[in-house]
Amino acid sequence: MPQYRQINEINFEALTNRTFHPSPGAWEDQVLYFLLLDRFSDGHEQGFLSNAGEIVHSGTTPVFTPSDAENAVQTASEAAKWRAAGRRFAGGTLKGLQSKMGYLKRLGVTVVRISPVLKQAHAQETYTGDGIQNFLAVEPRFGTPEALREVVATAHTYGLYVILDIILNHTGDVFVYQSGQPNYHQGDMPHPVMGYRDQYGNPSLPFKPIDLTKRPDAWPDGAVWPADFQEPSTFSQKGAIRESATASECIEGDVASLKNIHHGHGSVADYHPAPALKALCEVYKFWMAYADLDGYRIDPAYLLAPGAIRYFTGVLKEFAAGIGKENFYLISELTGERQQVCATLEQIGLDAASGIDHLPEKLTSVVKGYRNPTDYFNLFRHSEAIGKGSHTWFRNRFVTGFDDSNSIGNNKTRFCADPGASRQLLAAVGILATTLGIPCLYYGTEQGFDGQGDVHSIREALFGGNFGAFRSRQRHFFREDQPTFQAIARILALRKQYLALRRGRQYLRPISGDGIHFGLPTLLGDPMRSVVPWSRLFNRQEIVCAINTDPDNEQTAWVTIDHELHRPGTLLTCLYSTLPAQIQSTTRVEVRNGRAIRLTVPAGGFVIYA
């Protein structure tokens, strides 16, 4: 790929003169897998299965075994080095990711969501990809533009789609204020700027479009590129967002030292895009076509003006349709109550949102028995309250998940971090995979990662390196024989097999201990220890799923089912259980509360009956 210094150097006609991979027909049929590229694979693992399913004997990093846990924290000094390694680039690459498409395919996910890959501000440890310095180049530590293209092509070969995380809100820390890094201030007067950073990070470059004949050292690691972003008016220059920020401060302020981009002004209906926003549209049209991507996850929408997002989504959707990607997906994270979020989704043109109304926390708390199940299931009910005729509207509008390090909040704890919580992990995956929404697994979940602490702590390296999971180093975790990996693969295979689990109507079901008195499972003590069942109904088929919030004991309950679909005396068969001996066992439909079946769910477990 050429090294572009200006957007007008791109030949879009030549770029789009080919056939592109079509978009999915129904995104609700997909399962996302979100990975931090720097923490996924460096390509040096040994003893994993190749894309073709063959054992790879080359490589230098052996597979993790339980005896390797804590091998990086045997002394205080070693522990400090391990923690420090988590704050720096760890070494994951696009080539490494390409070699693991078979791993992801066999897990059962269908969409690979990749953290931002564009070139970062030089000599800064923005391993998450948030600190972009060149919007038309790939970060060299990750690989090359060609490597990104090959990742997507390989994914498509294996029947996987690719969604790329992108940044609209800010650049990296590409310039220095005269007063260091000031806090946000309102008003029209921007904070004075000392200059763009040069290749060494010093503010020696003028804060204006760069003349390379005078400062040839500004390319490629100084200032910001392409040159379309070098006008001072590109940036709001209002300083860093404070803890108690207003809505306007979130839109105009820097995210710590990441420099906010000024997108324009006006209402959603009458928005006037600034040159920088138009340039961002061209940049991401380019990457969509160059790499043949299937969707974008936009940095949190709550940091962007609604009019700016609406303008961007409109431009990108139009371009995508023009190259044959009619259902190119645009998702983002939105905050606020469900009704507000759903209204915002349609207003700004996004296809789906994650993090809605504390959904990840509600999911994990229900599984662990610390919330009423209605707190989670009601997120998908009462569709008329948001102007929708059926609650199945939510099935492709909400991206559901847990453990994601990009979610809002300072307390970053993986599901398995709590003592004994690993016994309930499959229940969490079960509720994620078989309730409404597009499920998104966070990398490492399939291996039971248990990080906790600050945000870096749940960004363990799946390939090991110096910041491996379970406080380890130099051991990789691409273990397809691991029981959790295999169980998740079975659950996702059933989701793929049964349309009802992907598109069906959803109902939290009443339970009973004596078969006479029924009611919805309710938090009476703390924690709740109960069966929590729900049904998915589609085209006269009902599939009943249930979790047990008791990690120590099996629980049995009568569960109400649809009285019109089931005759007394007929049998429902166990399709899946975390207790393998239960699979293929049956339970009889009885006349109780209309119709009911008696379910036994293993300790901390998950079952599916049909």
Side-chain angles (χ1 to χ4, degrees):
M1 187 186 96
Q3 291 187 327
Y4 298 112
R5 298 182 182 181
Q6 291 184 315
I7 289 173
N8 63 15
E9 295 171 1
I10 300 171
N11 185 338
F12 275 98
E13 184 176 354
L15 188 67
T16 57
N17 187 25
R18 64 186 179 104
T19 301
F20 291 89
H21 193 73
S23 306
W27 279 95
E28 63 266 33
D29 291 344
Q30 310 306 316
V31 178
L32 277 61
Y33 182 97
F34 173 44
L35 61 91
L36 285 172
L37 183 60
D38 180 61
R39 303 298 165 91
F40 188 67
S41 172
D42 65 356
H44 298 311
E45 304 88 357
Q46 179 188 84
F48 70 98
L49 295 182
S50 70
N51 289 344
E54 300 170 346
I55 297 177
V56 175
H57 296 288
S58 60
T60 56
T61 306
V63 68
F64 175 89
T65 64
S67 63
D68 295 315
E70 314 281 334
N71 73 2
V73 295
Q74 294 299 299
T75 67
S77 175
E78 289 178 346
K81 289 179 181 178
W82 179 81
R83 289 191 296 270
R87 290 161 170 75
R88 301 190 297 266
F89 277 89
T93 65
L94 288 162
K95 285 292 186 184
L97 170 57
Q98 184 183 0
S99 71
K100 304 303 184 299
M101 290 300 169
Y103 171 89
L104 297 173
K105 177 72 173 180
R106 291 185 289 271
L107 178 60
V109 299
T110 62
V111 181
V112 186
R113 181 188 144 201
I114 308 171
S115 59
V117 301
L118 301 186
K119 186 176 182 295
Q120 302 295 287
H122 192 59
Q124 296 179 20
E125 296 291 346
T126 50
Y127 65 85
T128 57
D130 293 332
I132 298 173
Q133 180 259 343
N134 188 340
F135 286 88
L136 288 176
V138 167
E139 168 54 43
R141 283 168 283 198
F142 296 152
T144 63
E146 292 78 12
L148 174 61
R149 203 174 196 175
E150 290 167 7
V151 161
V152 179
T154 302
H156 289 164
T157 298
Y158 282 88
L160 304 173
Y161 298 99
V162 177
I163 289 178
L164 182 66
D165 278 25
I166 62 171
I167 307 296
L168 290 184
N169 178 68
H170 54 259
T171 68
D173 185 6
V174 297
F175 65 77
V176 176
Y177 291 108
Q178 288 185 6
S179 55
Q181 181 58 57
N183 283 329
Y184 176 87
H185 79 89
Q186 276 186 311
D188 296 329
M189 291 297 294
H191 286 291
V193 172
M194 191 177 300
Y196 280 121
R197 293 187 185 273
D198 59 26
Q199 59 187 318
Y200 304 108
N202 301 316
S204 70
L205 296 170
F207 189 55
K208 63 181 182 179
I210 303 297
D211 184 346
L212 289 177
T213 63
K214 297 179 179 178
R215 291 299 303 266
D217 58 319
W219 174 265
D221 295 326
V224 61
W225 297 93
D228 308 72
F229 294 102
Q230 291 174 359
E231 286 285 353
S233 59
T234 295
F235 302 97
S236 301
Q237 303 169 56
K238 295 289 187 74
I241 298 170
R242 297 164 297 182
E243 208 165 296
S244 56
T246 62
S248 61
E249 183 171 341
C250 288
I251 291 170
E252 297 177 330
D254 300 337
V255 179
S257 63
L258 304 175
K259 302 305 191 284
N260 181 266
I261 294 173
H262 173 64
H263 296 105
H265 66 276
S267 65
V268 173
D270 187 31
Y271 194 77
H272 300 277
L277 179 56
K278 293 181 179 180
L280 287 166
C281 290
E282 297 304 296
V283 161
Y284 290 119
K285 284 162 55 178
F286 168 79
W287 287 113
M288 181 199 305
Y290 176 82
D292 200 8
L293 296 163
D294 304 297
Y296 284 139
R297 186 265 184 188
I298 303 167
D299 55 346
Y302 60 84
L303 293 177
L304 301 165
I309 307 177
R310 181 71 188 186
Y311 179 86
F312 180 82
T313 58
V315 171
L316 268 288
K317 285 285 190 179
E318 185 174 303
F319 180 77
I323 62 173
K325 292 180 177 289
E326 291 285 352
N327 207 11
F328 188 87
Y329 225 51
L330 295 173
I331 61 178
S332 187
E333 185 176 3
L334 290 172
T335 59
E337 297 299 317
R338 184 190 68 150
Q339 187 168 351
Q340 172 193 343
V341 167
C342 292
T344 301
L345 261 180
E346 297 206 321
Q347 179 191 43
I348 63 181
L350 287 172
D351 294 302
S354 61
I356 292 172
D357 205 353
H358 308 290
L359 185 152
E361 182 273 327
K362 290 179 179 178
L363 186 156
T364 57
S365 294
V366 166
V367 172
K368 294 180 180 181
Y370 294 115
R371 267 188 180 270
N372 274 313
T374 52
D375 290 349
Y376 176 77
F377 284 91
N378 282 354
L379 290 172
F380 308 98
R381 295 188 67 234
H382 307 302
S383 54
E384 65 278 2
I386 60 166
K388 303 301 172 187
S390 169
H391 64 248
T392 57
W393 179 85
F394 300 112
R395 70 181 186 235
N396 63 353
R397 291 293 192 164
F398 288 2
V399 177
T400 57
F402 59 93
D403 280 2
D404 184 346
S405 70
N406 279 356
S407 60
I408 302 166
N410 296 319
N411 182 21
K412 302 295 183 178
T413 302
R414 283 192 183 259
F415 183 91
C416 290
D418 293 341
S422 59
R423 291 174 290 175
Q424 297 173 284
L425 177 60
L426 293 177
V429 173
I431 195 171
L432 174 68
T434 64
T435 55
L436 280 165
I438 304 172
C440 181
L441 281 175
Y442 184 50
Y443 83 102
T445 299
E446 75 279 11
Q447 300 293 343
F449 282 9
D450 66 351
Q452 63 177 318
D454 63 17
V455 68
H456 307 285
S457 301
I458 63 171
R459 294 171 176 169
E460 309 98 309
L462 201 59
F463 64 88
N466 291 322
F467 191 65
F470 309 113
R471 282 66 63 197
S472 71
R473 62 185 301 274
Q474 302 306 328
R475 297 292 186 271
H476 78 81
F477 298 87
F478 291 99
R479 305 173 295 170
E480 296 187 37
D481 58 350
Q482 207 262 5
T484 303
F485 180 99
Q486 295 181 346
I488 292 175
R490 287 194 292 271
I491 293 169
L492 295 183
L494 288 169
R495 184 183 192 274
K496 181 178 181 181
Q497 181 179 350
Y498 290 96
L499 197 60
L501 292 177
R502 309 192 305 274
R503 305 192 193 181
R505 289 168 285 127
Q506 176 173 293
Y507 301 97
L508 179 65
R509 288 304 193 187
I511 60 172
S512 172
D514 60 11
I516 300 172
H517 305 93
F518 283 78
L520 292 176
T522 303
L523 179 64
L524 298 176
D526 191 2
M528 180 180 74
R529 298 302 184 223
S530 172
V531 171
V532 178
W534 61 96
S535 292
R536 301 295 303 274
L537 283 80
F538 188 86
N539 193 27
R540 299 194 61 78
Q541 180 184 41
E542 179 172 13
I543 298 182
V544 182
C545 305
I547 62 169
N548 176 5
T549 65
D550 187 339
D552 301 312
N553 305 286
E554 71 175 27
Q555 293 282 339
T556 299
W558 289 97
V559 175
T560 300
I561 57 176
D562 191 283
H563 73 280
E564 293 183 351
L565 295 180
H566 304 283
R567 297 190 311 275
T570 56
L571 302 175
L572 270 65
T573 301
C574 181
L575 303 178
Y576 175 82
S577 172
T578 46
L579 181 66
Q582 191 174 3
I583 298 173
Q584 293 304 310
S585 64
T586 59
T587 183
R588 190 175 302 277
V589 176
E590 298 193 16
V591 181
R592 298 172 184 269
N593 197 35
R595 299 287 185 271
I597 55 174
R598 195 166 187 262
L599 287 187
T600 297
V601 186
F606 171 64
V607 297
I608 303 175
Y609 277 79

